[in-house]
């Protein structure tokens, strides 16, 4: 609910309150972000930190908005124009006191999440340079100490959770790579050093942007904390032309009074929909670039027998693509490998009862491709600069509308011609040699292509990927159904990756394959059940070379896929509770599923895994053993952990009895 009271606005969710006030200079300030307050209580508050700090005056913090007008003058001085309040949406309209610049501060409540973004309009007849244009700045009430929680990583090791005391300094989280990045994901959580998984206050924000970005957190002497964030990395500037309008991505915020778990529940509710994701078989780890129709069909037959619902042909199906040296850009079936086209394979996959899926990387081009030879002017680059090749490839300049139109045309053709049910959209190289005017329109055109493709093919599922989890963010998740979390499919290592991913993103969006043992990346040998119990915690997929699996393994795998399908509504729609790094609980309606995984006995034995949120007075039946447990006993004593060896695991299914 949003209440307007003169120069004060009170935005309230079930468990949070946010108060914006205008000070005597018309500067909008955050007077409160925390537990809900009444209007009377809100009126008592001091004005607080700025909602969108600008340059100028006695300000020496992090500017969220840095402007330079044509005459060289910088900064802004606020003048309030008015409000627009419509249900759960609020816009505060402001202008500069002198220059013809209008600024909109936008707020929208969606459940427990407060979405914020900023718009700028240049009403003048000279351009305005934007040196920084963040979506929002955030400021919780002061505390003695502050602690930062975020995820960092690398290729094959994304989403590693970090929790560190925050120095009295400015701390920057950023991607300069043109995608949201393996190195750090665009969200953060802050607490006063006391919060736990289920208790204590946590303030959290996430940016819905899939290009480069920056968040700067400033802890001051005296307990003050503010942070500002938005698209674009340091040094990037934009021009706001006369009559031009700029709109930032959404930078959303969550206040949790019940710990990091409470913050995750709120993000999951916001980012989740009700749809169950299919069991996908993907051929990448099994066949790499060495693809043939017969071998793909043989894999498809085995995948179907195991219960896969979609069969995805990964990289290697298109013209000239026998290694990563050639082919990107030429999005038609390779005539050598598929002399009859892809139709026979697509039809055979459908005849087996599965949807047909394809891998694409629409933003990239190999110099050795027809596209590069015929359209060299579409390749992203700068005069007098070397064209950097990463994985032997360059990027197309997606900021150009004709490039985006071409990509949409190719994808639309592929999806229509082959009846593609599932598209894996990959992006395997960062943006380099790009001018200031490329970075933001590039991503907007990626979004536009995805939006238009999906509008034209409403049943199409899309998996977002950038060399694994390099482009996972709320902006990409708004346009895709799931994310390929990491190229590292070692189940033991995957636990930490999934633990970090799940802090913000829902389980249904977390692509997770069961692959071969020994694992292709780490050579680790693990039992099949352990690999399944790790991958079942998200959107289960299969990625192994099924042609090498024994009859016994295939039979066991078929049983585990069936078991997963039975618990899938609980995993995909339920509330996720982390019971430590290696155990997760999902609760939906009267059902509870707990997955406990023990990757190594070198780790200290864990305390009993105690489920959360059960009704103490209710009884719960173990659906596998038939044993009936009291909720109070489970809450207090936990579940048994019969895990005496490396890479062992349990799956417990409980149903609450009336
Ligand atoms: C990177 C992805 O993360 C992999 O799953 C696979 O699709 C390869 N690209 C293919 O080139």
């Amino acid at each position: 609910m949003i209440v307007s009271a003169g120069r004060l606005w009170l935005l309230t969710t079930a468990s949070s309150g946010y108060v914006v006030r205008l000070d005597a200079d018309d500067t909008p300030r955050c007077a409160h972000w925390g537990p809900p307050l009444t209007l009377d209580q809100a009126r008592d508050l001091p004005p607080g930190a700025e909602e969108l700090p600008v340059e100028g005056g006695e300000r020496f913090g992090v500017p969220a908005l840095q402007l330079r007008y044509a005459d060289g003058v910088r900064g802004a001085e606020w003048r309030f124009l008015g409000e627009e309040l419509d249900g759960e949406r609020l816009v505060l309209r402001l202008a500069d006191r002198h220059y013809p610049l209008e600024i909109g501060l936008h707020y929208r409540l969606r459940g427990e999440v407060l979405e914020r973004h900023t718009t700028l309009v240049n009403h003048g007849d000279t351009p305005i340079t934007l040196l920084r244009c963040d979506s929002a700045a955030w400021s919780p009430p002061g505390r003695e100490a502050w602690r930062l929680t975020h995820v960092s990583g690398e290729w094959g090791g994304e989403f590693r959770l970090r929790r560190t005391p925050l120095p009295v300094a400015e701390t920057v989280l950023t991607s300069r790579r043109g995608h949201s990045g393996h190195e750090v994901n665009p969200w953060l959580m802050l607490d006063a050093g006391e919060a736990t998984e289920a208790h204590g206050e946590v303030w959290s924000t996430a940016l819905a942007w899939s290009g480069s970005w920056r968040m700067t957190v400033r802890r001051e002497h005296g307990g003050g904390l503010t942070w500002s964030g938005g698209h674009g990395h340091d040094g990037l500037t934009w021009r706001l032309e006369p009559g031009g309008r700029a709109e930032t991505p959404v930078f959303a915020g969550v206040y949790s009074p019940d710990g990091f778990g409470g913050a995750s529940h709120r993000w999951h509710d916001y980012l989740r929909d009700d749809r169950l994701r299919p069991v996908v078989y993907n051929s990448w780890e099994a066949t790499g670039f060495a693809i043939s129709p017969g071998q793909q069909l043989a894999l498809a037959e085995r995948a179907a027998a195991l219960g896969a619902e979609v069969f995805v042909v990964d990289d290697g199906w298109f013209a000239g693509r026998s290694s990563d040296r050639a082919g990107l850009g030429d999005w038609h079936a390779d005539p050598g490998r598929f002399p009859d086209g892809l139709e026979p394979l697509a039809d055979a996959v459908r005849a087996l009862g599965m949807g047909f899926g394809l891998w694409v990387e629409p933003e990239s081009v190999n110099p050795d491709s027809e596209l590069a030879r015929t359209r060299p002017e579409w390749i992203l680059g700068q005069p007098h600069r070397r064209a950097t090749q990463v994985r032997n490839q360059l990027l197309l300049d997606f900021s150009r509308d004709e490039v985006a139109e071409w990509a949409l045309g190719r994808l639309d053709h592929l999806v229509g011609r082959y009846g593609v049910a599932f598209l894996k959209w990959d992006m395997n190289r960062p943006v380099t040699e790009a001018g200031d005017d490329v970075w933001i329109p590039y991503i907007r055109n990626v979004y536009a292509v995805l939006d238009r493709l999906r509008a034209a093919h409403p049943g199409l599922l899309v998996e977002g990927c950038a060399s694994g989890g390099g482009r996972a963010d709320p902006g990409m998740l708004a346009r895709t159904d799931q994310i390929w979390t990491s190229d590292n499919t070692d189940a033991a290592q995957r636990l930490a990756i999934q633990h970090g991913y799940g802090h913000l993103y829902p389980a249904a969006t977390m692509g997770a394959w069961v692959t071969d043992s020994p694992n292709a990346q780490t050579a680790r040998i693990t039992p099949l059940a352990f690999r399944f119990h790790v991958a079942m915690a998200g959107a289960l997929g299969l990625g192994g070379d099924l042609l090498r699996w024994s009859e016994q393994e295939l039979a066991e795998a078929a049983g585990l896929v069936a078991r997963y399908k039975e618990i899938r509504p609980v995993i995909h729609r339920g509330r996720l509770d982390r019971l430590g790094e290696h155990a997760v609980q999902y609760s939906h309606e009267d059902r509870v599923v707990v997955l406990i995984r023990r990757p190594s006995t070198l780790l200290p034995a864990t305390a009993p895994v105690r489920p959360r949120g059960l009704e103490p007075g209710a009884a719960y039946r173990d659906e596998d053993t038939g044993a009936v447990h009291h909720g109070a006993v489970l809450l207090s004593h936990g579940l048994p952990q019969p895990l005496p060896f490396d890479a062992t695991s349990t799956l417990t299914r409980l149903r609450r009895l009336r």
Side-chain angles (χ1 to χ4, degrees):
M1 186 179 54
I2 304 181
V3 175
S4 164
R7 291 163 66 85
L8 179 150
W9 294 267
L10 175 61
L11 296 84
T12 311
T13 72
S15 57
S16 73
Y18 193 93
V19 178
V20 186
R21 294 186 70 154
L22 293 179
D23 69 13
D25 283 337
D26 277 6
T27 305
R29 291 176 179 276
C30 174
H32 174 75
W33 183 24
L37 295 180
T38 64
L39 198 51
D40 268 358
Q41 292 164 341
R43 285 201 176 100
D44 260 6
L45 294 162
E50 285 185 60
E51 280 288 86
L52 197 73
V54 290
E55 289 180 306
E58 224 177 327
R59 294 182 176 95
F60 306 103
V62 180
L65 186 61
Q66 284 181 289
L67 309 157
R68 189 172 54 227
Y69 305 98
D71 60 4
V73 171
R74 295 174 68 124
E77 292 185 359
W78 299 97
R79 181 165 59 92
F80 183 57
L81 298 178
E83 68 168 39
E84 284 168 21
L85 180 53
D86 175 14
E88 300 292 71
R89 290 172 191 262
L90 168 70
V91 186
L92 300 183
R93 299 219 166 276
L94 299 120
D96 184 81
R97 283 187 181 274
H98 174 78
Y99 291 93
L101 173 70
E102 188 179 328
I103 304 172
L105 303 185
H106 298 248
Y107 302 82
R108 182 180 178 196
L109 289 175
R110 291 185 58 195
E112 284 291 281
V113 175
L114 172 57
E115 291 185 342
R116 294 179 56 194
H117 74 276
T118 297
T119 50
L120 303 175
V121 183
N122 180 357
H123 291 297
D125 50 17
T126 51
I128 300 172
T129 304
L130 306 181
L131 303 147
R132 184 79 207 150
C133 183
D134 277 349
S135 301
W138 299 88
S139 46
R143 296 287 186 268
E144 244 169 64
W146 285 105
R147 188 167 60 163
L148 171 68
T149 298
H150 72 293
V151 288
S152 67
E154 57 188 341
W155 174 82
E158 300 88 336
F159 307 111
R160 302 299 174 103
L161 193 77
R162 312 274 166 206
R163 187 158 292 155
T164 46
L166 200 64
V168 180
E170 290 176 8
T171 302
V172 178
L173 277 61
T174 189
S175 163
R176 301 187 181 92
R177 292 174 176 258
H179 57 88
S180 31
H182 299 83
E183 288 70 23
V184 50
N185 202 255
W187 62 262
L188 48 76
M189 296 186 183
L190 287 145
D191 79 297
E194 301 153 350
T196 62
E197 220 17 53
H199 300 286
E201 294 185 289
V202 174
W203 292 264
S204 166
T205 57
L207 182 70
W209 186 247
S210 309
S212 58
W213 56 274
R214 191 174 74 177
M215 293 175 194
T216 309
V217 189
R218 178 169 183 246
R219 179 179 164 198
E220 296 169 58
H221 281 277
L225 183 78
T226 54
W227 67 94
S228 182
H231 59 0
H233 50 269
D234 45 356
L236 202 62
T237 62
W238 308 263
R239 267 158 72 98
L240 191 57
E241 300 293 344
R245 182 176 188 277
E247 177 164 350
T248 72
V250 164
F251 193 21
V254 159
Y255 166 75
S256 164
D258 40 25
F260 297 103
S264 297
H265 295 157
R266 289 167 175 82
W267 285 116
H268 294 171
D269 288 347
Y270 169 67
L271 293 168
R272 182 174 43 210
D273 57 46
D274 224 25
R275 290 168 309 123
L276 301 178
R277 303 321 196 254
V279 176
V280 171
Y281 177 85
N282 180 297
S283 62
W284 174 246
E285 272 203 34
T287 55
F289 295 107
I291 286 185
S292 75
Q295 149 238 58
Q296 293 293 304
L297 185 57
L299 284 168
E301 281 164 355
R302 290 219 157 171
L306 293 190
E309 294 156 320
V310 172
F311 182 87
V312 180
V313 181
D314 206 278
D315 202 348
W317 59 268
F318 47 96
R321 189 69 168 174
S322 53
S323 74
D324 64 16
R325 301 200 156 270
L328 288 172
D330 297 344
W331 299 111
H332 49 92
D334 183 73
R337 264 162 286 155
F338 292 93
D340 303 320
L342 284 176
E343 283 94 342
L345 179 60
D347 290 345
V349 163
R350 277 187 287 274
L352 288 165
M354 297 182 291
F356 180 66
L358 273 185
W359 176 96
V360 288
E361 191 177 346
E363 298 150 72
S364 288
V365 60
N366 284 115
D368 185 2
S369 66
E370 270 314 294
L371 183 69
R373 284 185 278 275
T374 51
R375 290 286 187 188
E377 73 280 11
W378 282 5
I379 295 175
L380 184 59
Q382 290 198 298
H384 321 301
R385 292 289 170 250
R386 293 187 192 98
T388 304
Q389 289 191 30
V390 180
R391 207 195 189 205
N392 304 305
Q393 66 200 59
L394 300 165
L395 282 179
L396 295 173
D397 185 352
F398 246 65
S399 71
R400 293 171 63 155
D401 290 344
E402 70 270 32
V403 172
E405 283 300 330
W406 164 86
L408 177 64
R410 293 308 306 148
L411 294 170
D412 183 60
H413 172 78
L414 287 176
V415 173
R417 174 159 179 187
Y418 302 120
V420 171
F422 185 102
L423 202 65
K424 178 173 171 187
W425 180 308
D426 203 346
M427 197 257 193
N428 283 298
R429 57 151 292 161
V431 178
T432 60
E433 290 89 42
D436 280 0
D437 49 345
V438 166
W439 300 82
I440 289 174
Y442 178 113
I443 297 298
R444 293 215 188 278
N445 270 341
V446 168
Y447 286 170
V449 171
L450 277 164
D451 290 344
R452 289 172 61 192
L453 185 67
R454 301 201 62 151
H457 303 277
L460 178 69
L461 297 176
V462 182
E463 180 172 60
C465 174
S467 305
R471 195 153 64 180
D473 58 79
M476 192 43 64
L477 264 184
R479 299 168 167 86
T480 55
D481 302 279
Q482 61 191 60
I483 297 292
W484 177 229
T485 319
S486 177
D487 280 342
N488 185 342
T489 63
D490 174 341
Q493 294 199 2
R494 196 76 182 202
L495 284 169
I497 295 171
Q498 298 187 175
H499 181 69
Y501 181 91
H503 269 69
L504 205 86
Y505 306 114
T509 69
M510 184 174 75
W513 305 338
V514 172
T515 55
D516 298 334
S517 176
N519 180 265
Q521 289 84 25
T522 64
R524 192 190 309 272
I525 294 172
T526 49
L528 194 64
F530 179 77
R531 281 174 269 152
F532 266 94
H533 288 163
V534 173
M536 278 183 188
L540 173 77
L542 302 166
D545 185 354
L546 302 182
L547 304 179
R548 291 196 294 128
W549 288 21
S550 68
E551 288 303 324
Q552 195 191 339
E553 285 173 312
L554 291 168
E556 188 185 352
L560 286 159
V561 172
R563 172 53 46 89
Y564 165 75
K565 286 182 180 169
E566 195 274 319
I567 59 173
R568 178 165 52 181
V570 186
I571 307 265
H572 288 200
R573 296 179 179 146
R575 191 189 70 212
L576 165 69
D577 284 297
R578 293 178 289 269
L579 311 177
E581 192 171 308
H582 300 147
V584 278
Q585 171 187 343
Y586 303 84
S587 312
H588 183 56
E589 297 172 348
D590 61 346
R591 300 192 70 191
V592 173
V593 169
V594 181
L595 289 160
I596 308 176
R597 290 74 46 101
R598 187 167 188 192
S600 167
T601 45
L602 290 175
L603 297 171
T606 50
V609 172
R610 292 191 296 141
R612 294 216 181 92
L614 304 186
E615 288 175 32
Y620 292 83
R621 182 164 46 79
D622 184 315
E623 296 188 83
D624 295 293
T625 65
V628 176
H629 305 285
H630 293 286
V633 174
L634 288 173
L635 284 167
S636 184
H637 292 269
L639 293 162
Q641 290 197 71
L643 310 173
F645 309 117
D646 282 0
T648 48
S649 53
T650 57
L651 161 60
T652 306
R653 300 179 302 150
L654 301 171
R655 195 179 285 269
R656 193 183 60 231
L657 302 174
R658 285 274 132 227

